Amino acid sequence: MSIGEGVQARLAYKKYASGAMIENQLANSGTDLGATGGQVLRRTQSTLELKSNQNPSAEVREDQQVVDSRNGPYWVDGSISGEWSPETYADLFEASFRGTWAAAVTGTEADFTSAALDSAGTITFAAGDPVAKGFRVGYPISFTGLATAGNNGVNFVILAFGGSSNRTLTVFPAPITESADTAFTVTQVGKSLILPKRQVDNVNRKFAFEHFHPDLAGGGLYKLFTECRVGGFKLGMPAEGNCTIEHMVRGRFMETGSAGAFFTDPDPETDTGIFNAVNGLLRVHGSAAAVVTGMTLDMDRQLTGTAAAFQKFFPEVHVQKAKVSGTLTLQLTGGTTFDDFKNETEIDFLGQLLTGSSANADSNIILCPRIKFGSAGNPLQGEAAQIVTANFTALRYVGSGAGIPSTTIQICDTTLV
């Protein structure tokens, strides 16, 4: 008898054509999902499992023993964890946000007349309004056609807009100084995702996730976790080491088969690089942070289900409001963090994660335009650098800053087309 090995197991998923759940009927995997297509997913682990509450008999009998127990309704629960890489988890991010990845924005000299670049970290257009065109804080942009070759193909992150009609962009990294150029194209790199502002724009999505063990006898065993919703994530960004990601999942049922995989031809795993926090940028309160020793960022949508009589599955898996929070750990350099906590100062956070050090390395950029610290702890310990741990909550931005999206969190992924 063979024993399944984790290194040989495959995790794959596929999105249902419809995100709706029928309250008194499970989806038909053969027709509503289909065995073709799907996507193999990179992972460190998946803890998905089928669960049920046991209900042992409460009868008091002469034999003073329990003689019956029944299972309650079934549900799928767990999470999928991995090392964070661009593109890989785009579908799961989209499901947690209940939004839709927005297509890239593009402009040319026809929109802005000319572009002048300055090594002080600015790009200035001569006409037009880049915010009205659709560019936003946190977007990575790239030029083609500029006379200075070193400014072409660089992913500049927009940090702020200023000047007349928002024509002066503060960007990172700083460009090479170049006088006004009248022949160029500037394009947002990849796509962006925000939490929708209106109920009508929220999209329900559901997935099936498959654990396939090909090394078991008879063609292998699959466990297909059906009608699953994704309800949040946990991001880990250490000062040293790879960034991590975990997505929370809850579904309705699990199917099994022992004559091969359910998904017959899923797309192979993505081949993008893994993020670490060595390259890139972290801005807190509008300034680059050089002493951060770690950060976490979580979205919790509290997936829930309620049992219904006379059926063995939940009528629906409910997704609740998005609660975004996190923790910053940083070396003690002064009292700013304590003051921000005491005064309930609202600040911003922008982080760029890169897969390498090239000018156009794949990246994800996260913007939380409005966060508040809920604590700032600094116990005296050891003899080395003293560490401040500050927990924060992110809030929807409701201000009027130029090009700042009205959302709690925005993610841009440069690999999406």
Side-chain angles (χ1 to χ4, degrees), residues 120-140:
T122 61
I123 299 170
T124 303
F125 297 120
D129 184 340
V131 173
K133 187 68 177 176
F135 292 97
R136 296 289 181 265
V137 172
Y139 279 14

Side-chain angles (χ1 to χ4, degrees), residues 19 56 85 90 122 166 187 258 266 316 330 414:
S85 56
T122 61
N166 310 307
T187 303
S258 57
E316 175 63 271
L330 59 158
T414 63

Side-chain angles (χ1 to χ4, degrees), residues 125 128-130 162-168:
F125 297 120
D129 184 340
S164 177
S165 297
N166 310 307
R167 294 171 190 159
T168 299

Side-chain angles (χ1 to χ4, degrees), residues 59 61-67:
E59 291 180 333
R61 300 164 53 95
E62 277 196 339
D63 57 17
Q64 301 182 25
Q65 299 176 57
V66 177
V67 298

Side-chain angles (χ1 to χ4, degrees), residues 220-297:
L221 169 72
Y222 75 76
K223 294 175 289 180
L224 185 70
F225 301 97
T226 59
E227 297 194 87
C228 295
R229 298 212 190 280
V230 182
F233 50 81
K234 297 180 180 181
L235 306 177
M237 293 160 271
E240 183 174 347
N242 294 332
C243 297
T244 60
I245 186 168
E246 180 183 8
H247 283 277
M248 275 58 75
V249 175
R250 177 165 286 206
R252 298 179 88 190
F253 203 60
M254 181 186 75
E255 302 172 9
T256 58
S258 57
F262 178 84
F263 293 128
T264 57
D265 59 346
D267 291 337
E269 299 163 323
T270 61
D271 58 3
T272 52
I274 296 170
F275 295 132
N276 63 32
V278 173
N279 303 108
L281 170 70
L282 177 64
R283 280 169 57 97
V284 180
H285 217 159
S287 301
V291 293
V292 171
T293 58
M295 180 172 181
T296 66
L297 184 65

Side-chain angles (χ1 to χ4, degrees), residues 19-287:
M21 293 184 180
I22 301 174
E23 65 272 11
N24 60 353
Q25 180 180 323
L26 293 173
N28 184 307
S29 297
T31 57
D32 297 327
L33 181 64
T36 59
Q39 170 73 56
V40 179
L41 187 61
R42 294 154 64 174
R43 49 91 185 177
T44 53
Q45 71 170 356
S46 170
T47 64
L48 299 186
E49 61 175 312
L50 185 67
K51 293 185 175 181
S52 178
N53 292 321
Q54 273 200 321
N55 300 293
S57 171
E59 291 180 333
V60 179
R61 300 164 53 95
E62 277 196 339
D63 57 17
Q64 301 182 25
Q65 299 176 57
V66 177
V67 298
D68 200 3
S69 178
R70 300 298 305 276
N71 287 350
Y74 294 99
W75 74 93
V76 174
D77 192 41
S79 66
I80 294 170
S81 303
E83 292 182 315
W84 186 10
S85 56
E87 183 186 3
T88 306
Y89 303 98
D91 286 338
L92 306 189
F93 274 129
E94 192 176 50
S96 286
F97 275 67
R98 302 184 94 173
T100 301
W101 288 101
V105 181
T106 298
T108 68
E109 69 278 358
D111 301 294
F112 306 124
T113 303
S114 68
L117 290 80
D118 193 295
S119 60
T122 61
I123 299 170
T124 303
F125 297 120
D129 184 340
V131 173
K133 187 68 177 176
F135 292 97
R136 296 289 181 265
V137 172
Y139 279 14
I141 59 173
S142 180
F143 285 87
T144 58
L146 291 172
T148 301
N151 285 327
N152 292 317
V154 178
N155 290 350
F156 297 109
V157 180
I158 301 174
L159 305 180
F161 293 92
S164 177
S165 297
N166 310 307
R167 294 171 190 159
T168 299
L169 283 61
T170 303
V171 298
F172 177 85
I176 302 168
T177 297
E178 178 177 353
S179 59
D181 195 316
T182 58
F184 63 89
T185 297
V186 57
T187 303
Q188 174 195 350
V189 185
K191 293 184 177 183
S192 60
L193 182 65
I194 63 173
L195 290 163
K197 293 184 291 184
R198 304 181 306 163
Q199 178 61 37
V200 69
D201 295 325
N202 281 271
V203 180
N204 267 338
R205 295 178 174 87
K206 65 179 183 181
F207 300 83
F209 294 94
E210 180 191 35
H211 293 178
F212 176 51
H213 302 270
D215 49 340
L216 298 182
L221 169 72
Y222 75 76
K223 294 175 289 180
L224 185 70
F225 301 97
T226 59
E227 297 194 87
C228 295
R229 298 212 190 280
V230 182
F233 50 81
K234 297 180 180 181
L235 306 177
M237 293 160 271
E240 183 174 347
N242 294 332
C243 297
T244 60
I245 186 168
E246 180 183 8
H247 283 277
M248 275 58 75
V249 175
R250 177 165 286 206
R252 298 179 88 190
F253 203 60
M254 181 186 75
E255 302 172 9
T256 58
S258 57
F262 178 84
F263 293 128
T264 57
D265 59 346
D267 291 337
E269 299 163 323
T270 61
D271 58 3
T272 52
I274 296 170
F275 295 132
N276 63 32
V278 173
N279 303 108
L281 170 70
L282 177 64
R283 280 169 57 97
V284 180
H285 217 159
S287 301

